[in-house]
Amino acid sequence: MERKKIVVIGAGPAGIAAAVEVKEAGLAPAVVVEKAGHACDTIVRFYRDGKRVDADYQKVKVAQQGLLSFATESKEEFLAEMDSVINRHVLDIRYNQECHKIEVKNDTFHIHTAGGLSLEANIVVAAIGIFGKPVRPAYPIPKELRDKILFSLPKEPLDGKDVLVVGGGDSAAEAACFLCQKNRVTLSYRRPNFFRINEINMCTLNGCCCEGKVKTKMPSDIEGLEPEGKRIKVLFNNDTPLSFDVLFYFLGGSTPQVFLENAGVRFSGRKPQADECGETNIPRLFLAGDLVLDRGSIMGAFNSAYLVKNGILSRYRELVTV
Ligand SMILES: Cc1cc2nc3c(=O)[nH]c(=O)nc-3n(C[C@H](O)[C@H](O)[C@H](O)COP(=O)(O)OP(=O)(O)OC[C@H]3O[C@@H](n4cnc5c(N)ncnc54)[C@H](O)[C@@H]3O)c2cc1C
């Protein structure tokens, strides 16, 4: 078992920022364990190629507090910038190491990964995000339809399909505008108006709607799905069913509750309990990024890492000074 002072779990924006913050504060450098073979896997997997990465996401402006920040740029530019942050700060990231357990042992934590790594740490920062498990609808998805129901844009482009996009945030709007270039797209949202979509996406969406490339169906209340030959029959409350070839859900992510509860983290409803520095009810176990944010974003993730570092510095400096 390798002994480390600080272990960060997850090399997304929050995990990378946490490792940078503690290193630049002169604390013991963190080891970061990442389940994918590269950093920022949520961005690699869920953002379509060329996507604009908004610094003000879902209409929320977040002022920089910590060391990391970025200006709106493309997915590729953002990922290149994160790679250069990793190299510039010589971060110790162990890839292909999915942490499946955080064990609390007296004064230390034992971190076990699927890649066979065992680490002992004084302080753990969990920054594993919420997109490992996208939110699914409350109604069941019939197994015959599973290959037609998607939670992110496919690598292979779709062409000439009837597509239903479900959701009311920026991801749903971006997906609808992208897919409508080659498909007939309907965007279904349960509320009467969009209120979370940022101005650029709203403007693009309005343009697509005016040109008749995207139809909106709102408020709409989907009650269930049924197979209809090779298509999907979508059943609405108080409305006629509609038929589609492919259905996309962009309903956000869900907190990895079981993983955190197994480590002893208490929850209030679906939110893990954490104080202003991200420290949980388990002393020295911190949370950063989407796990602790009400409205997750990259800038929010960067800032939460700065707050974690402040918590470590003010509460546990003697444990983590080199
Ligand atoms: C389609 C889409 C578009 C978006 N667009 C924007 C945008 O334009 N602007 C913006 O600010 N935000 C955007 N967001 C939100 C943004 O991506 C998140 O808020 C941000 O990525 C959160 O960072 P994080 O580090 O907390 O989590 P994540 O980015 O989810 O990173 C978590 C990391 O932890 C790793 N991990 C997970 N479980 C484990 C484990 N058990 N062991 C080891 N590693 C693990 C994952 O592989 C991943 O690399 C978008 C999200 C989506 C889904």
Side-chain angles (χ1 to χ4, degrees), residues 176-305:
C177 296
F178 175 71
L179 289 163
C180 80
Q181 293 164 17
K182 294 195 170 163
N183 303 277
R184 294 167 295 278
V185 174
T186 304
L187 177 57
S188 157
Y189 185 37
R190 65 196 157 92
R191 294 182 190 256
N193 298 302
F194 295 112
F195 67 100
R196 286 190 287 131
I197 299 177
N198 70 31
E199 274 167 27
I200 303 174
N201 285 335
M202 203 59 239
C203 186
T204 318
L205 179 61
N206 282 336
C208 294
C209 291
C210 287
E211 287 172 37
K213 292 176 171 172
V214 173
K215 285 188 206 157
T216 52
K217 189 162 175 51
M218 16 188 311
S220 70
D221 181 10
I222 301 177
E223 284 195 315
L225 310 175
E226 285 176 4
E228 186 183 57
K230 289 188 170 172
R231 289 171 53 104
I232 311 159
K233 185 172 175 186
V234 180
L235 309 171
F236 296 92
N237 185 14
N238 286 330
D239 213 341
T240 339
L242 293 174
S243 168
F244 296 93
D245 297 305
V246 185
L247 203 159
F248 288 88
Y249 288 102
F250 289 96
L251 305 176
S254 59
T255 308
Q257 187 158 354
V258 174
F259 175 81
L260 294 173
E261 279 181 339
N262 281 343
V265 175
R266 278 197 218 109
F267 273 68
S268 302
R270 290 193 182 164
K271 285 241 77 115
Q273 290 178 10
D275 66 15
E276 68 288 358
C277 295
E279 190 170 15
T280 63
N281 56 295
I282 313 283
R284 294 171 288 100
L285 174 52
F286 289 80
L287 307 180
D290 276 357
L291 289 182
V292 279
L293 296 169
D294 287 334
R295 302 276 291 275
S297 69
I298 293 167
M299 279 306 298
F302 288 163
N303 284 353
S304 74

Side-chain angles (χ1 to χ4, degrees), residues 9-16 33-36 38-43 45-48 51-57 70 97-100 127-132 170-171 174 198 250 259 288-291 293 295-301:
I9 308 173
I16 292 171
V33 295
E34 165 55 49
K35 76 171 176 189
H38 46 255
C40 296
D41 191 44
T42 295
I43 293 165
R45 279 197 304 138
F46 288 95
Y47 292 22
R48 70 172 170 78
K51 172 185 152 40
R52 200 187 57 251
V53 185
D54 290 313
D56 299 335
Y57 185 53
F70 76 105
Q97 300 291 342
E98 178 170 7
C99 172
H100 50 77
I128 57 179
I130 57 171
F131 287 103
D170 281 318
S171 306
E174 285 178 10
N198 70 31
F250 289 96
F259 175 81
D290 276 357
L291 289 182
L293 296 169
R295 302 276 291 275
S297 69
I298 293 167
M299 279 306 298

Side-chain angles (χ1 to χ4, degrees), residues 131-143:
F131 287 103
K133 231 172 126 198
V135 170
R136 300 172 73 85
Y139 41 85
I141 295 176
K143 65 175 185 315

